[in-house]
Amino acid sequence: MYEFTDDCRIGIPEIDSEHKQLFELINAAHDILSLDDVDLQQKSELILYQLKDYAKIHFAHEEAYMQAIQDPELTSQKQEHSDFITYINTTNIARLDNANIRPAFENLLKYLSNWLFHHIIGSDILIGKFESKFAFTSKYYTGIELIDNEHQTLFEIIQDADAVIHADFLHDKYDEIMRIILKLKNYTQEHFRDEETYMSEIGYPDLEKQQKAHASFIEKINDINLDDLDENQQDYLEDMIAFLLNWLSVHILHMDKQIGAFAKNRLL
């Protein structure tokens, strides 16, 4: 019997609950091995069908969750899930005679049991244990509340744009993307005004450098043009997001954090 112990919990209630159900199905399959051969074939076919069906449902839920949080391990998880289903499909109990059903079923359950345990401990335990590229973490803090709050909003707007780009149900993303780009442009201009006003008030010596960097970024946003996109729309949009996020991250780390350091030293 395989007990679903606390070390198998990954900390996501819905996923933990479904993992526990998979353990229970595998244990139910092991119980069938105590039956005589007359009932073994029919009941083993049924439990395998239930196990495969539930595994597909669970994998779909797990992959949807990982997609929602943009977990970078989603691709490898999908492959592992596919391998699990493929292995179940390799054993066709209905085609085996009574003498071969038991050993084949035992081998299959041994594989499935080991796979599930090691998959949870080795792969599922890492779900969500990453820093999203859109996460506004402490490394970006300048120590200036207004600026930090506005930077966080910029990250969120770019993340919204990325979510639309990867939304499968939106076949024509033009209007929604343009709405978000306009929002980003307007908010960025507002943020730059606030940031430059603050730098002017504290006598920040590199204000002019900041103004030039800000103007360059606004120019890049103004150059975004989706009118001529067709087959390469997705690639263009993904490159656009990569540029916006990279520029913002580098600008904060290399330039804006110096504003906070200057302001802090000025108070000493």
Side-chain angles (χ1 to χ4, degrees):
M1 298 293 287
Y2 291 83
E3 184 179 356
F4 185 77
T5 55
D6 286 343
D7 59 346
C8 293
R9 297 185 182 278
I10 69 173
I12 303 171
E14 297 83 358
I15 295 179
D16 284 336
S17 177
E18 292 183 355
H19 282 163
K20 185 177 181 181
Q21 181 64 31
L22 285 171
F23 270 77
E24 292 172 354
L25 284 170
I26 289 179
N27 284 333
H30 277 284
D31 290 339
I32 290 174
L33 291 174
S34 63
L35 300 174
D36 58 47
D37 290 340
V38 175
D39 294 328
L40 181 58
Q41 183 173 34
Q42 181 180 1
K43 293 192 175 183
S44 61
E45 286 182 42
L46 177 60
I47 196 69
L48 279 179
Y49 174 81
Q50 292 174 340
L51 179 60
K52 182 170 66 173
D53 188 58
Y54 191 81
K56 286 183 177 179
I57 293 172
H58 163 64
F59 292 158
H61 291 168
E62 195 169 80
E63 291 168 13
Y65 179 86
M66 295 178 73
Q67 176 69 42
I69 65 172
Q70 299 184 330
D71 196 308
E73 297 301 317
L74 175 58
T75 300
S76 61
Q77 279 275 10
K78 285 184 175 180
Q79 184 59 56
E80 291 184 33
H81 295 166
S82 177
D83 291 344
F84 182 89
I85 297 299
T86 298
Y87 197 92
I88 291 182
N89 289 334
T90 60
T91 303
N92 191 334
I93 299 297
R95 295 181 180 179
L96 299 177
D97 56 37
N98 288 340
N100 294 316
I101 291 176
R102 188 176 299 277
F105 196 50
E106 288 177 343
N107 288 335
L108 179 60
L109 290 181
K110 181 179 180 180
Y111 167 83
L112 297 180
S113 301
N114 290 334
W115 184 95
L116 181 59
F117 180 79
H118 290 292
H119 179 71
I120 293 174
I121 299 300
S123 297
D124 288 350
I125 198 71
L126 299 176
I127 294 176
K129 308 298 192 301
F130 70 98
E131 180 181 299
S132 168
K133 60 184 178 181
F134 298 104
F136 185 74
T137 60
S138 59
K139 69 180 180 182
Y140 295 114
Y141 291 171
T142 65
I144 305 165
E145 185 176 4
L146 172 64
I147 293 177
D148 287 338
N149 289 340
E150 292 184 350
H151 283 164
Q152 182 172 4
T153 299
L154 287 171
F155 269 77
E156 291 170 352
I157 295 173
I158 296 175
Q159 183 174 15
D160 288 343
D162 185 73
V164 171
I165 289 170
H166 292 95
D168 295 334
F169 58 87
L170 286 178
H171 298 295
D172 186 357
K173 305 169 183 178
Y174 179 88
D175 290 341
E176 185 63 13
I177 288 294
M178 289 307 299
R179 182 190 68 79
I180 296 177
I181 293 302
L182 179 60
K183 178 181 179 181
L184 176 65
K185 177 182 175 181
N186 291 338
Y187 192 83
T188 299
Q189 290 175 327
E190 177 184 337
H191 163 64
F192 287 164
R193 284 195 300 269
D194 290 343
E195 196 170 74
E196 291 169 12
T197 297
Y198 179 83
M199 287 187 284
S200 178
E201 289 173 350
I202 65 172
Y204 186 64
D206 288 329
L207 171 59
E208 186 176 350
K209 290 182 180 179
Q210 283 275 7
Q211 289 172 326
K212 289 180 179 180
H214 293 168
S216 176
F217 185 70
I218 293 297
E219 183 179 350
K220 291 292 185 181
I221 295 180
N222 288 336
D223 286 341
I224 294 174
N225 182 9
L226 306 186
D227 291 336
D228 299 326
L229 295 185
D230 189 10
E231 294 181 358
N232 297 322
Q233 184 185 69
Q234 191 72 15
D235 291 339
Y236 179 90
L237 293 173
E238 290 179 355
D239 288 345
M240 177 192 72
I241 290 298
F243 165 76
L244 295 174
L245 189 63
N246 183 63
W247 187 94
L248 181 59
S249 300
V250 171
H251 181 72
I252 293 174
L253 293 174
H254 292 180
M255 296 188 72
D256 289 350
K257 284 179 72 73
Q258 295 181 27
I259 304 172
F262 177 83
K264 182 178 180 180
N265 290 331
R266 183 170 173 270
L267 296 175
L268 295 179

